[in-house]
Amino acid sequence: MITRRRLLMGGAATAAVSAAGVAMPWGFGSISSHARIIGAAPLAIPPLLKGNLKNGVRTFDLTLKQGQSTFLPGYTTSTLGINGPYLGPTLHFTNGEKVRLNVKNTIGETTTIHWHGLHVPAIADGGPHQVIGHGETWSPSFTVKQQAGLFWYHPHLLHKTGLHAYLGMAGGIRVENAETDALPLPKTYGVDDLPVVLQDKRFNSDGSLQYGNSMHDLMMGMKGDVLLVNGGVAPIFKATTAKLRLRLLNGSNARTYNLGFKDNRSFDIIAGDGSLLPAPVKAGRAVIAPGERVEIVVDVKSAEPAELVTYPYESVGAMGRGMGRGMMGRGMMGRMMGMMGDDGRRFEVLRIEPGEKLAPSPRVPDELLTLPALNARDAVRTRRFELDMGMGPMMMMGRSGFTINGKTMDMSRIDARVKLGTTEIWEIANLSPMMHPFHIHDIQFRILDRNGRPPAPYESGLKDTVQVNSGEVVRVIAKFEDYADPKWPYMFHCHILEHEDAGMMGQFTVEA
Ligand code: C2O
Ligand code: CU
Ligand code: CU
């Protein structure tokens, strides 16, 4: 039962909702009271933008703008969006096609837009060097060179990525290609193939978005107590087909989700970040960290609704829990460490209600994509990247504790120079007490091993972001092809955006 006392204890967002009067929940017991008292709207499907063909170039117009959105009944929230008040359209690209993106910035301050997961020239990448001032239009163009999959775009301004993304600027990019077009997978956008963008938010009592400036928000990353799914709370989708493909994108600043259905039904994981998997993987849970994508196909042909929810996930390793206990009672540092660990919040994500009559869906094929065999001997060198949170006086004094190989991000420093056309192994070691999702621009890599053990089947496709758990060493392998530029670098960083903004980022060039 939700009591007034519990609502008020739950924080500003719930107080706001309870004061405003509430809609009926579709909810069920024991998860966040917020989602129980709002929601029940249909799943919003962002418009699919196919661009206009001009002289053989597919051109997309994107305007970054300020907007007003309603997430909590009775409250308006100031947001940022692309071609709309919140989030942006889904861009439809075809492999091999030349595209141009006209990105007009009208948000009132400088930002950037990065094409996460796309293999593009560094100058077109939209990282911290490709700034777009207010009133300016940035128009990168490139040829799409990707496997079919879900990619995305979001801001990437140094020290501002977290805030700008949190306020709502993000969208999906669907890349299609001829090989995957031939596979019998659900692929009708908004019908049996759904974009599902997950972002958690926190609200002030006036309905405005709260962006953390507490030490805890900085250290653990900004986590919210309301989950937005394509900008709505606990939405409903009425299925018209026997199976649905959900293209899940974790667009949250810091929260990792352990997703599953309430009735524990199994589903097929068919794709990770940058490609289909070699074969579908039957699973009951999918863990998705900030920046990552997971595609699943689920059977909804049952009288019962399919309720996608989050299950507990623990980002802090044994090292962090030990430190927390050891440091307790030792002043501010002790309190910080004591607060480490998951807040245990659970969310309703999406309720799928099967219609009366469902159109049949094809069976998921046993084989999806052939990828070349992995061979560590293809690599000309191994580079090591040590992630650390500098749990000491440095950390307590400000934004200097988040490091890669002991250094915080410096726009004027190139951390690695890769030779064009070579294959490298990047060995990412997490020396800190919590998991970091490590992202590399330019390439799609494959995971060689985790602490010497081969990766799980669901992470055996192409990836651009990888969860590196506390105390783990993850080795990834990739070839750096096509684009060389000694001047403009690509980024690598933790995709917990507060960690990135605090300096857990570095730069590499690809040089001829
Ligand atoms: Cu999704 Cu460097 O970013
Ligand atoms: Cu990226
Ligand atoms: Cu991190």
Side-chain angles (χ1 to χ4, degrees):
M1 224 182 76
I2 303 165
T3 62
R4 169 113 191 130
R5 182 175 146 75
R6 167 131 180 255
L7 283 170
L8 291 172
M9 282 167 50
T14 24
V17 172
S18 70
V22 298
M24 278 305 291
W26 59 260
F28 49 89
S30 84
I31 70 172
S32 163
S33 57
H34 311 74
R36 286 178 55 86
I37 53 175
I38 46 183
L43 176 71
I45 305 289
L48 186 65
L49 220 61
K50 295 200 162 168
N52 299 312
L53 208 53
K54 284 184 200 153
N55 307 323
V57 183
R58 201 165 276 284
T59 304
F60 297 80
D61 294 322
L62 302 175
T63 303
L64 317 181
K65 46 167 79 170
Q66 302 181 344
Q68 301 288 323
S69 304
T70 299
F71 304 120
L72 309 177
Y75 285 82
T76 6
T77 302
S78 293
T79 48
L80 295 178
I82 300 138
N83 297 3
Y86 186 76
L87 292 177
T90 303
L91 311 182
H92 183 281
F93 289 179
T94 304
N95 184 42
E97 183 172 66
K98 188 157 187 207
V99 298
R100 171 183 302 276
L101 300 119
N102 298 317
V103 185
K104 178 160 200 218
N105 175 7
T106 70
I107 65 167
E109 62 180 82
T110 298
T111 192
T112 85
I113 290 290
H114 162 61
W115 322 107
H116 178 127
L118 295 189
H119 174 52
V120 300
I123 195 156
D125 194 42
H129 294 270
Q130 284 83 47
V131 293
I132 320 170
H134 171 74
E136 289 174 8
T137 300
W138 176 59
S139 298
S141 77
F142 48 84
T143 299
V144 180
K145 293 188 180 198
Q146 302 295 142
Q147 285 287 339
L150 175 66
F151 304 85
W152 66 301
Y153 57 100
H154 63 76
H156 216 302
L157 188 68
L158 189 68
H159 304 315
K160 284 288 184 72
T161 298
L163 178 62
H164 287 178
Y166 185 79
L167 292 175
M169 289 192 286
I173 302 173
R174 286 160 63 105
V175 176
E176 305 294 348
N177 70 20
E179 293 99 279
T180 51
D181 277 353
L183 287 171
L185 290 169
K187 52 169 72 89
T188 309
Y189 185 75
V191 176
D192 62 3
D193 181 353
L194 310 178
V196 182
V197 182
L198 308 177
Q199 301 165 301
D200 57 332
K201 304 291 171 196
R202 215 154 67 202
F203 294 87
N204 295 309
S205 55
D206 62 355
S208 59
L209 281 169
Q210 184 177 103
Y211 188 71
N213 20 37
S214 74
M215 183 59 90
H216 186 258
D217 290 341
L218 169 67
M219 190 165 95
M220 302 302 291
M222 178 66 203
K223 288 184 189 165
D225 51 13
V226 174
L227 179 66
L228 298 183
V229 180
N230 298 353
V233 181
I236 295 178
F237 183 78
K238 299 216 190 293
T240 57
T241 57
K243 287 183 180 161
L244 286 178
R245 174 183 191 172
L246 306 181
R247 302 206 194 206
L248 300 151
L249 157 62
N250 187 345
S252 306
N253 282 45
R255 193 183 283 277
T256 294
Y257 303 96
N258 180 11
L259 298 167
F261 287 90
K262 194 196 159 200
D263 61 6
N264 285 314
R265 75 182 66 190
S266 66
F267 46 83
D268 286 300
I269 303 181
I270 60 164
D273 300 334
S275 75
L276 291 169
L277 299 178
V281 176
K282 272 258 178 284
R285 299 282 187 273
V287 178
I288 181 171
E292 287 188 307
R293 289 86 67 205
V294 170
E295 295 187 23
I296 67 171
V297 175
V298 61
D299 207 317
V300 298
K301 201 163 62 318
S302 122
E304 294 304 309
E307 295 173 337
L308 187 66
V309 298
T310 68
Y311 284 93
Y313 166 77
E314 185 60 80
S315 66
V316 172
M319 189 200 322
R321 288 191 298 272
M323 283 170 78
R325 275 193 298 274
M327 307 282 295
M328 285 302 273
R330 285 198 218 162
M332 189 173 174
M333 192 64 197
R335 285 199 299 280
M336 290 298 307
M337 297 307 305
M339 284 191 294
M340 285 192 76
D342 199 52
D343 59 14
R345 233 169 244 289
R346 292 181 60 189
F347 299 97
E348 292 165 340
V349 180
L350 175 65
R351 175 186 171 102
I352 299 163
E353 294 178 348
E356 289 282 283
K357 275 185 68 187
L358 298 177
S361 299
R363 154 170 194 282
V364 175
D366 296 330
E367 282 170 32
L368 297 170
L369 179 71
T370 310
L371 288 169
L374 284 179
N375 192 344
R377 277 169 314 202
D378 293 340
V380 298
R381 64 177 291 174
T382 295
R383 292 177 202 265
R384 184 173 168 94
F385 298 89
E386 295 185 345
L387 313 181
D388 209 347
M389 291 171 68
M391 291 294 177
M394 286 293 280
M395 169 69 209
M396 302 315 296
M397 280 162 57
R399 307 166 72 87
S400 52
F402 291 85
T403 57
I404 299 177
N405 292 340
K407 298 179 195 129
T408 55
M409 168 71 177
D410 180 346
M411 298 255 300
S412 63
R413 183 189 70 229
I414 302 297
D415 298 281
R417 294 178 193 274
V418 176
K419 191 155 170 40
L420 179 70
T422 61
T423 297
E424 294 198 355
I425 292 170
W426 285 23
E427 178 177 290
I428 308 134
N430 182 352
L431 312 184
S432 86
M434 67 181 283
M435 186 277 284
H436 301 278
F438 190 80
H439 170 52
I440 309 175
H441 289 212
D442 178 35
I443 51 164
Q444 287 289 332
F445 54 74
R446 291 178 70 196
I447 302 172
L448 269 180
D449 44 38
R450 288 182 173 276
N451 280 353
R453 285 185 299 275
Y458 65 82
E459 53 181 12
S460 60
L462 295 175
K463 296 274 296 165
D464 54 54
T465 307
V466 60
Q467 296 167 34
V468 186
N469 295 299
S470 174
E472 212 169 40
V473 177
V474 177
R475 292 198 310 155
V476 305
I477 185 166
K479 189 169 183 186
F480 295 77
E481 296 174 289
D482 302 311
Y483 308 118
D485 188 335
K487 179 156 184 247
W488 298 111
Y490 296 103
M491 305 295 127
F492 53 86
H493 58 90
C494 173
H495 220 287
I496 292 176
L497 300 182
E498 288 66 40
H499 293 181
E500 172 191 333
D501 280 340
M504 197 182 266
M505 176 156 69
Q507 313 192 97
F508 71 99
T509 51
V510 178
E511 299 185 17

